[in-house]
Amino acid sequence: MSAQPSPLMNPQQQQQTEQEKVYQWINELAHPDTRETALLELSKKRETDLAPMLWNSFGTACALLQEIVNIYPSITPPTLTAHQSNRVCNALALLQCVASHPETRTAFLQAQIPLYLYPFLSTTSKTRPFEYLRLTSLGVIGALVKTDEQEVITFLLTTEIVPLCLSIMDSGSELSKTVATFIIQKILLDESGLSYICQTYERFSHVAITLGKMVIQLSKDPCARLLKHVVRCYLRLSDNTRARKALGQCLPDQLRDGTFALCLQDDKSTKQWLQMLLKNLELGANPQQIGMSPLGS
């Protein structure tokens, strides 16, 4: 057990003691017998300066990748235990820290670290260890796209992230669906991302069909946060001329007929996005019918 800071220490001394503990845990990541505890302790920290320390310390990135690769055999057949899942998710939490930091993000992408997470995103087991693993892996990708940086989108579009996210949007848990849809939304909001999705009919239809299924499911089991991302994806798709024409034919009726009026009652931004979408598609829906006042009022 690590020693607690003495109450007699001044704030500067306490900070120095905490920093020394962090250095010690980072060093312990290099040793298999001390790694598990170090992963747990560091995953609780994730302070601002942790990412550069992790990335630039000798052998640490390799140790985190070892944790990931070590459970690949437990994916197929799906035998992942809760203990294994918790341990690798602590490693993923540290990678998310590196992915979020401006000083380490570019190197993180250049090393193609996200590709090591894709086997986790392609799993389909509904057990909690697998769900936790998928959700934490999505969190790393979500941390990357939150930055709104072109290099992130450029990197992701060269990988299989779009079909992986669409698969999770189709069959994942509510929380995983929400993060996966957020990632697709962020990709679409980038000009190159929108162009990529709308470049071929196959890509566009895969996205549109998945979003359509989600709308139908949400009409039975509403979730305002997930619906917000779905509507934003539709609105962004409507910025593309060809996609807008296609959406005029395939937009789910539930987005036009007031099905979500109660769900969106207190969500002004999503109601406005939905109204803008309908206006873009020129569906001629009555704004009052879907629980909204006209734009600009």
Side-chain angles (χ1 to χ4, degrees):
M1 184 181 294
S2 56
Q4 294 297 313
S6 166
L8 299 176
M9 289 183 182
N10 63 44
Q12 188 174 0
Q13 288 173 319
Q14 287 188 16
Q15 186 178 10
Q16 188 174 352
T17 302
E18 286 297 318
Q19 195 83 325
E20 286 169 359
K21 280 196 231 171
V22 170
Y23 293 148
Q24 180 184 335
W25 288 325
I26 290 175
N27 285 332
E28 289 175 355
L29 288 175
H31 307 288
D33 54 334
T34 56
R35 186 179 297 162
E36 184 170 3
T37 301
L39 284 170
L40 178 61
E41 295 298 338
L42 286 168
S43 70
K44 296 174 188 173
K45 291 290 179 186
R46 291 190 268 174
E47 59 253 13
T48 310
D49 296 326
L50 181 58
M53 287 190 283
L54 288 169
W55 189 256
N56 296 312
S57 56
F58 180 78
T60 299
C62 183
L64 296 177
L65 288 178
Q66 277 181 351
E67 288 297 306
I68 289 170
V69 173
N70 282 346
I71 65 160
Y72 282 172
S74 301
I75 293 176
T76 308
T79 58
L80 187 70
T81 65
H83 177 259
Q84 286 176 307
S85 180
N86 288 337
R87 177 166 171 159
V88 75
C89 285
N90 286 336
L92 290 170
L94 297 183
L95 287 179
Q96 180 172 333
C97 177
V98 174
S100 303
H101 200 285
E103 288 181 29
T104 53
R105 187 163 45 248
T106 297
F108 181 82
L109 289 173
Q110 288 174 343
Q112 301 195 330
I113 303 294
L115 299 184
Y116 288 91
L117 281 52
Y118 287 11
F120 301 158
L121 296 179
S122 64
T123 60
T124 55
S125 172
K126 303 287 187 184
T127 64
R128 286 189 69 179
F130 275 98
E131 178 55 33
Y132 184 34
L133 182 62
R134 278 190 297 272
L135 186 59
T136 312
S137 300
L138 284 169
V140 179
I141 310 299
L144 283 171
V145 298
K146 266 184 187 176
T147 64
D148 294 319
E149 290 185 357
Q150 181 65 55
E151 67 170 344
V152 171
I153 303 302
T154 300
F155 171 83
L156 292 176
L157 291 180
T158 65
T159 72
E160 291 298 300
I161 195 62
V162 171
L164 285 171
C165 283
L166 291 175
S167 178
I168 293 171
M169 288 159 64
D170 198 34
S171 59
S173 69
E174 183 180 289
L175 201 48
S176 288
K177 284 182 177 183
T178 302
V179 182
T181 310
F182 169 76
I183 293 168
I184 293 295
Q185 172 188 317
K186 283 294 197 177
I187 288 172
L188 283 169
L189 286 173
D190 184 90
E191 285 300 329
S192 62
L194 179 64
S195 176
Y196 174 87
I197 296 293
C198 299
Q199 189 172 17
T200 68
Y201 176 75
E202 288 73 18
R203 287 179 195 162
F204 167 78
S205 63
H206 193 181
V207 173
I209 288 169
T210 301
L211 290 172
K213 286 181 184 176
M214 293 177 78
V215 169
I216 292 169
Q217 183 58 41
L218 284 166
S219 68
K220 301 170 187 172
D221 188 14
C223 169
R225 185 165 59 157
L226 180 52
L227 180 61
K228 183 186 192 83
H229 295 311
V230 169
V231 170
R232 190 67 185 91
C233 285
Y234 270 124
L235 177 58
R236 179 56 173 158
L237 283 170
S238 73
D239 287 338
N240 179 275
T241 307
R242 286 192 299 170
R244 183 164 62 245
K245 197 173 293 186
L247 286 176
Q249 304 297 317
C250 69
L251 191 76
D253 291 339
Q254 290 87 347
L255 290 176
R256 294 181 263 170
D257 62 10
T259 296
F260 296 108
L262 188 61
C263 180
L264 297 179
Q265 189 172 303
D266 300 316
D267 191 341
K268 189 175 180 181
S269 62
T270 306
K271 284 194 289 188
Q272 191 172 54
W273 289 341
L274 181 53
Q275 186 174 356
M276 290 167 67
L277 169 65
L278 297 177
K279 186 178 180 184
N280 283 354
L281 302 183
E282 297 179 338
L283 295 179
N286 180 348
Q288 275 70 35
Q289 191 179 23
I290 50 178
M292 300 182 295
S293 58
L295 272 176
S297 64

